[in-house]
Amino acid sequence: MAISVSHAPTTDRLVREVEPGVFLIDHHFRGAPGVIASYLIADDEELTLIEAGPASTVETLLAGVRQAGFEPAQIAQVVVTHIHLDHAGAAGTLLRRLPRARLYVHPVGAPHLVDPSKLMASATRIYGELMQPLWGEMLPVPADRIGVLDDRAVLSTGRRTLRAHDTPGHANHHLALNDLATGAVFAGDVAGIRLDGLRHVRPPTPPPEFDPEAWKRSIATLRALAPRRLYLTHFGAYDDIAWHLDELLARTWFWTGWVGSRLAAGEDPQAVSASLREVDEALVAAATHDPTILARYESAGNYRMSVDGIARWWRKRGEGARA
């Protein structure tokens, strides 16, 4: 897997206020803007951070909090939509830096934040020597500073209320957070990857928990919320909700069937991922002239891991049919 890594300091503006009291903080992951976002909610002097991001960009995240006009020590709550390293890798590091903060997570994910050794070992097998420069070290979160959010649990942040929704498909420890005051939904990865406002939505489908049938139900959950806006970790705010979710659903099942049929015909997974890249990047390139966009989509969701996730789902499906 050829991956270049850069976390050079940037003088670019890290923050923009996407609606009153909600700040998007750009992690500039691997030195590039517009790949990983956290969202800072400021209401009635209460600060809640949604998404910790990777440990490798924690200093950029904290600089972004300061650029928004706050001190990191003011943050009282950190919520992660799920425990993958690009969303929760910095959780333990952040809690060491944020003396008031409590971390909230899906109940399935909580034990892995208390003891992240399995997560780190699994990721190290994938990334090898790139593990540290890409993601940094995932430190444990003290058990007494973790709160779990079950399906439809609510969390107050100032005068706002966030309602958590269990939304598997990308991962079985995934939450989407509905701001009941504004109708916005902080969607993590269950609403896919979409960069720079392009009319192109990609499903991140990594192993081991990708499940298109569960994802279809989760998309229905999002539709039922009738969100005014979707906030994506990868990346930014989108208001064309119906089109976005239709596109995500269609591409999730297209990828699942297309990859499955190629693998069933005996093609090597590496060759399938190269073909998937060719098909998808042609669509992205047709939608923009930005020369950086293909690399940034790859940073947000790797093609080979997407193929591996789909392949695993088809194997499990076949094993279930034979049982």
Side-chain angles (χ1 to χ4, degrees):
M1 184 187 304
I3 302 176
S4 63
V5 180
S6 172
H7 292 299
T10 177
T11 58
D12 292 345
R13 186 71 181 170
L14 302 173
V15 178
R16 66 179 187 268
E17 191 170 13
V18 288
E19 63 180 78
V22 178
F23 300 85
L24 181 156
I25 302 175
D26 189 336
H27 287 249
H28 283 253
F29 180 60
R30 293 170 58 191
V35 177
I36 297 177
S38 292
Y39 295 92
L40 184 68
I41 301 174
D43 189 87
D44 200 22
E45 300 186 1
E46 182 89 347
L47 296 185
T48 294
L49 182 70
I50 297 177
E51 304 291 40
S56 57
T57 59
V58 69
E59 296 301 335
T60 303
L61 172 62
L62 295 176
V65 173
R66 296 185 185 99
Q67 280 190 15
F70 306 98
E71 284 301 317
Q74 295 175 254
I75 296 173
Q77 299 174 140
V78 179
V79 186
V80 294
T81 60
H82 59 299
I83 62 171
H84 291 166
L85 296 180
D86 51 339
H87 297 256
T93 302
L94 276 178
L95 261 63
R96 295 185 180 200
R97 306 281 292 273
L98 308 177
R100 296 182 56 212
R102 186 168 176 80
L103 184 108
Y104 292 88
V105 63
H106 191 288
V108 172
H112 296 284
L113 295 184
V114 174
D115 179 4
S117 57
K118 289 184 179 179
L119 278 177
M120 292 295 287
S122 177
T124 299
R125 285 195 295 272
I126 296 170
Y127 293 102
E129 64 184 15
L130 292 174
M131 179 66 188
Q132 185 68 26
L134 276 173
W135 307 114
E137 183 181 4
M138 189 175 190
L139 300 178
V141 177
D144 61 357
R145 296 182 68 186
I146 288 184
V148 299
L149 293 174
D150 294 304
D151 185 40
R152 300 190 65 81
V154 295
L155 182 68
S156 295
T157 176
R159 294 162 295 178
R160 298 175 186 245
T161 299
L162 303 177
R163 174 169 285 149
H165 292 272
D166 187 25
T167 43
H170 170 75
N172 65 12
H173 43 79
H174 195 288
L175 296 170
L177 301 156
N178 184 20
D179 185 336
L180 300 184
T182 68
V185 172
F186 300 90
D189 280 355
V190 76
I193 298 169
R194 186 178 177 185
L195 307 184
D196 290 4
L198 294 188
R199 299 278 281 183
H200 184 79
V201 186
R202 280 180 44 184
T205 64
E209 294 158 354
F210 165 67
D211 183 338
E213 293 170 336
W215 207 325
K216 179 181 178 180
R217 294 190 294 271
S218 292
I219 290 173
T221 296
L222 295 180
R223 288 190 201 277
L225 297 176
R228 177 185 59 82
R229 173 172 289 176
L230 293 172
Y231 286 118
L232 309 188
T233 306
H234 314 293
F235 177 93
Y238 295 92
D239 299 335
D240 52 350
I241 310 300
W243 178 88
H244 181 103
L245 295 179
D246 286 347
E247 185 77 357
L248 173 63
L249 183 62
R251 187 158 283 112
T252 299
W253 282 100
F254 170 71
W255 278 24
T256 301
W258 188 90
V259 169
S261 67
R262 303 290 286 259
L263 294 172
E267 290 192 40
D268 177 76
Q270 188 62 40
V272 175
S273 65
S275 296
L276 180 63
R277 177 195 297 273
E278 183 178 357
V279 168
D280 194 64
E281 289 192 347
L283 296 174
V284 175
T288 180
H289 298 296
D290 182 351
T292 74
I293 194 72
L294 298 179
R296 290 190 288 122
Y297 263 104
E298 174 77 358
S299 290
N302 179 272
Y303 287 104
R304 178 55 196 267
M305 283 195 289
S306 290
V307 168
D308 288 347
I310 293 168
R312 181 180 173 87
W313 180 78
W314 278 112
R315 285 196 301 273
K316 290 191 296 184
R317 187 180 175 89
E319 291 164 1
R322 291 192 297 270

